[in-house]
Amino acid sequence: MNYAIKRKKQVSAKFVPSNLGMTLENDIESTNLFYLNNQIAVIYKKPTPVQVVNVNYPARNKAKITEAYYKTPSTTDFNGIYKGRYIDFDAKETSSKTSFPLKNIHEHQVEHLRNVDKHGGIAFLIIHWKVYNKYFFLPLNVILKYWDNKESGRKSIPYDEFLKNSYEIKLNYNPRIDYLKIIDTYYLK
Amino acid sequence: MNYAIKRKKQVSAKFVPSNLGMTLENDIESTNLFYLNNQIAVIYKKPTPVQVVNVNYPARNKAKITEAYYKTPSTTDFNGIYKGRYIDFDAKETSSKTSFPLKNIHEHQVEHLRNVDKHGGIAFLIIHWKVYNKYFFLPLNVILKYWDNKESGRKSIPYDEFLKNSYEIKLNYNPRIDYLKIIDTYYLK
């Protein structure tokens, strides 16, 4: 079966009500565009990696990829710079009411965030709890507390841990998900 | 006409003579892998952006992209963190003997590097002069000196400028193109 994938809408920095239905990724891209346009930070989403197998070169047209496959990204989706600091994170969603399953995070993503932290960057996840429609900034140390014990211990991070040891990001008009405010308050004070 | 694109060879951190023929991009990826494996820096190449138009989902197989096009990247190819500093650059080659044409750099790449610099990152280009088989670390200020005058002035950066105001990176076994040495000497001293 063939599915036409809709061309991604241009992310608009101006908030319009129809944007309310945007996905987490779009909300973050719109936030990053706001940061960029207002010269607050330079943070981009990396392109989705694709393994190209075949390309067609029709005369006088641009190259057309006719066979390709999605690859697992080696790192996280977002990185950039804010106030001279290297920023690196990924965004995840969960439909659970009680806990965020660690299987939603890939081993290489955790290793990448660990490396970033070691070299002086700010590493975290943004988690959207769909049932509560709440967004949390999950610091690396909380992730690792569960990740490094998952063989012997529990395989998910309880919602309670988010309430106690993560930072809620209130959804806003513009910027939508103002995660740099958390960095200002807890990392750069 | 159909061209099969060869799967990219795994970049090996170990130097083998056959690697001598690697492209500039592969040389840099091998350098970055050396940095990562030796916990010197965390620097990656961003995936090439692709606009996916059609995807097939054959039963029990992974999604197959059947129509896609290369997009112009919004930023540069490489970024990451070194000694707590945000690093951002692109790599270019020229066959010229006399000057590096500014048309080899895109407007949005220069704007991106300018933004990175404004926010405290280290922004530059690595230029390979194929005729001389020399590699140069071209600092942003040298790029801008020519870029910002290109409407009224010359549209290329003379080789002499590279010899005088850029930093040569000597090709090595491993790491191949040790650009962080330049950063140590001229940016972090």
Side-chain angles (χ1 to χ4, degrees), chain B residues 100 102 105 110 113-114 117 123-125 127 129 136-150 154 156-167 187:
Chain B
F100 175 76
L102 290 173
I105 321 175
V110 176
L113 291 173
R114 213 193 285 267
D117 178 69
F124 57 96
L125 293 178
I127 313 271
W129 287 76
F136 288 91
F137 181 115
L138 184 65
L140 181 64
N141 66 314
V142 180
I143 303 164
L144 295 183
K145 187 167 100 181
Y146 288 86
W147 187 267
D148 291 340
N149 294 303
K150 76 177 155 55
R154 57 178 299 156
S156 63
I157 307 177
Y159 187 56
D160 197 49
E161 185 76 38
F162 282 79
L163 296 174
K164 286 183 184 152
N165 295 316
S166 304
Y167 311 112
Y187 289 78

Side-chain angles (χ1 to χ4, degrees), chain A:
Chain A
M1 221 190 314
N2 253 321
Y3 295 86
I5 301 289
K6 266 203 276 180
R7 279 170 187 263
K8 215 186 257 176
K9 269 180 285 177
Q10 285 289 345
V11 175
S12 162
K14 218 170 102 195
F15 177 78
V16 286
S18 67
N19 282 355
L20 276 170
M22 291 199 306
T23 63
L24 176 60
E25 187 183 303
N26 284 354
D27 278 341
I28 292 175
E29 289 211 66
S30 134
T31 301
N32 290 343
L33 193 57
F34 176 90
Y35 291 152
L36 185 68
N37 289 344
N38 292 279
Q39 282 292 315
I40 294 165
V42 183
I43 298 163
Y44 281 92
K45 182 183 179 293
K46 293 182 197 169
T48 306
V50 156
Q51 177 71 55
V52 174
V53 176
N54 261 299
V55 185
N56 249 331
Y57 297 91
R60 282 184 298 279
N61 279 322
K62 59 181 179 175
K64 179 180 172 182
I65 298 163
T66 55
E67 186 183 354
Y69 301 92
Y70 291 106
K71 287 196 294 186
T72 310
S74 345
T75 63
T76 46
D77 271 354
F78 301 92
N79 76 353
I81 183 168
Y82 174 54
K83 294 185 177 169
R85 295 293 296 274
Y86 177 81
I87 304 291
D88 198 302
F89 66 100
D90 218 303
K92 308 279 182 189
E93 286 189 313
T94 180
S95 303
S96 166
K97 284 181 188 173
T98 53
S99 64
F100 175 76
L102 290 173
K103 66 171 164 44
N104 288 8
I105 321 175
H106 302 296
E107 175 80 37
H108 58 267
Q109 292 183 319
V110 176
E111 290 324 303
H112 176 67
L113 291 173
R114 214 193 285 266
N115 280 335
V116 164
D117 178 68
K118 252 187 228 162
H119 289 271
I122 298 175
F124 57 96
L125 292 179
I126 292 175
I127 313 271
H128 179 207
W129 288 76
K130 290 200 274 186
V131 173
Y132 305 116
N133 202 25
K134 280 183 184 289
Y135 298 82
F136 288 91
F137 181 115
L138 184 65
L140 181 64
N141 67 314
V142 180
I143 303 164
L144 295 183
K145 186 166 100 181
Y146 287 86
W147 186 267
D148 292 340
N149 293 304
K150 74 178 157 55
E151 301 316 321
S152 53
R154 57 178 299 155
K155 278 135 190 75
S156 63
I157 307 178
Y159 187 56
D160 197 49
E161 185 75 38
F162 282 79
L163 297 175
K164 285 183 185 153
N165 295 315
S166 304
Y167 310 112
E168 189 179 347
I169 312 168
K170 295 277 183 197
L171 200 64
N172 217 327
Y173 284 161
N174 205 3
R176 293 284 287 161
I177 300 179
D178 192 5
Y179 58 89
L180 292 182
K181 198 195 261 181
I182 307 293
I183 291 180
D184 274 333
T185 312
Y186 299 100
Y187 289 77
L188 305 178
K189 44 172 187 191

Side-chain angles (χ1 to χ4, degrees), chain B residues 66-84:
Chain B
T66 56
E67 186 183 354
Y69 301 91
Y70 290 106
K71 286 196 295 185
T72 310
S74 346
T75 63
T76 46
D77 270 355
F78 300 92
N79 75 354
I81 182 167
Y82 174 54
K83 294 184 179 170

Side-chain angles (χ1 to χ4, degrees), chain B:
Chain B
M1 223 191 312
N2 252 321
Y3 294 86
I5 302 289
K6 267 202 273 178
R7 277 170 189 263
K8 216 186 255 175
K9 271 180 282 177
Q10 284 288 344
V11 174
S12 162
K14 217 170 101 193
F15 177 77
V16 287
S18 67
N19 282 355
L20 275 170
M22 290 199 308
T23 64
L24 176 61
E25 186 182 304
N26 283 353
D27 278 342
I28 293 175
E29 290 211 67
S30 133
T31 301
N32 290 343
L33 192 57
F34 176 89
Y35 291 152
L36 185 68
N37 289 343
N38 292 278
Q39 282 292 315
I40 294 166
V42 183
I43 298 163
Y44 281 93
K45 182 182 179 295
K46 293 181 196 170
T48 305
V50 157
Q51 178 70 55
V52 174
V53 176
N54 262 299
V55 185
N56 250 331
Y57 297 91
R60 282 183 299 279
N61 279 321
K62 58 180 179 174
K64 179 180 174 182
I65 297 163
T66 56
E67 186 183 354
Y69 301 91
Y70 290 106
K71 286 196 295 185
T72 310
S74 346
T75 63
T76 46
D77 270 355
F78 300 92
N79 75 354
I81 182 167
Y82 174 54
K83 294 184 179 170
R85 296 292 296 273
Y86 176 81
I87 304 290
D88 198 301
F89 66 100
D90 218 303
K92 309 278 182 188
E93 286 189 313
T94 180
S95 303
S96 166
K97 285 181 187 173
T98 53
S99 63
F100 175 76
L102 290 173
K103 65 171 164 43
N104 289 6
I105 321 175
H106 302 296
E107 175 80 39
H108 58 266
Q109 292 182 320
V110 176
E111 290 323 304
H112 176 68
L113 291 173
R114 213 193 285 267
N115 280 336
V116 164
D117 178 69
K118 251 187 229 163
H119 290 271
I122 298 175
F124 57 96
L125 293 178
I126 292 175
I127 313 271
H128 180 207
W129 287 76
K130 291 200 273 187
V131 173
Y132 305 116
N133 202 23
K134 280 183 185 288
Y135 298 82
F136 288 91
F137 181 115
L138 184 65
L140 181 64
N141 66 314
V142 180
I143 303 164
L144 295 183
K145 187 167 100 181
Y146 288 86
W147 187 267
D148 291 340
N149 294 303
K150 76 177 155 55
E151 300 316 322
S152 53
R154 57 178 299 156
K155 279 137 188 73
S156 63
I157 307 177
Y159 187 56
D160 197 49
E161 185 76 38
F162 282 79
L163 296 174
K164 286 183 184 152
N165 295 316
S166 304
Y167 311 112
E168 189 178 347
I169 311 168
K170 296 276 182 196
L171 200 63
N172 217 328
Y173 284 159
N174 204 4
R176 293 284 286 160
I177 299 178
D178 192 5
Y179 57 89
L180 292 181
K181 199 196 260 180
I182 307 293
I183 291 180
D184 274 334
T185 311
Y186 299 99
Y187 289 78
L188 305 178
K189 41 170 190 193

